Amino acid sequence: AKNTVTFSNNRTEATLAVGSQDRASVLIQLSSLAAANPNRFKAGDVVELPVASVDELEPWQFEVQGLERLALPIGDVPAIRLLRRPRRAFDQTIEVWFAPSLTYLPVRIRYTDSGGVTDSLLASVDKL
């Protein structure tokens, strides 16, 4: 109601920016944005969203790398790769691939940080 973000480490509140997400929802928001406006996700484009962490609200920039063909457990899937580069020490590199043929579902997500790499691939799709 106050249009503010409250942080878990008791840092001063921040003004809530339009389109703000938390780290858990930002990839789902990107998927929704791509499905709503695929022309915004062309190679070379940058998509920026305000993202709240434990202590700040900051702009995250995702660079659209282009369409790639992924060999996944569900088969070969063309997917648009987005990349978030680290902005400072200890930031994560985030790579996510969205499949246009699956309504821009994230079919691969790779996090890289000082602890190593976590790489997740879509293994199955249930048909309704």
Side-chain angles (χ1 to χ4, degrees):
K2 297 187 318 183
N3 284 331
T4 59
V5 178
T6 303
F7 301 103
S8 60
N9 69 352
N10 295 323
R11 186 174 176 168
T12 305
E13 293 179 339
T15 302
L16 185 65
V18 174
S20 293
Q21 302 295 314
D22 60 20
R23 292 180 296 174
S25 65
V26 67
L27 299 183
I28 301 304
Q29 180 66 12
L30 283 168
S31 175
S32 297
L33 291 171
N37 188 0
N39 291 328
R40 187 175 172 194
F41 289 78
K42 303 285 187 207
D45 289 347
V46 175
V47 180
E48 185 173 288
L49 293 171
V51 176
S53 66
V54 295
D55 62 357
E56 67 181 330
L57 181 66
E58 66 175 326
W60 279 20
Q61 293 183 339
F62 290 86
E63 302 167 13
V64 181
Q65 302 295 298
L67 194 65
E68 300 177 5
R69 182 165 287 287
L70 299 179
L72 300 173
I74 62 167
D76 286 352
V77 177
I80 299 168
R81 179 177 170 240
L82 274 66
L83 169 66
R84 178 189 181 254
R85 298 179 193 275
R87 293 175 17 142
R88 57 184 169 262
F90 305 108
D91 269 358
Q92 292 177 322
T93 297
I94 302 172
E95 297 167 274
V96 59
W97 288 259
F98 296 103
S101 64
L102 298 171
T103 61
Y104 294 89
L105 181 71
V107 294
R108 183 177 185 187
I109 302 169
R110 181 167 50 201
Y111 294 99
T112 305
D113 61 20
S114 59
V117 177
T118 302
D119 200 353
S120 303
L121 306 174
L122 183 65
S124 68
V125 177
D126 292 333
K127 302 285 183 187
L128 296 177

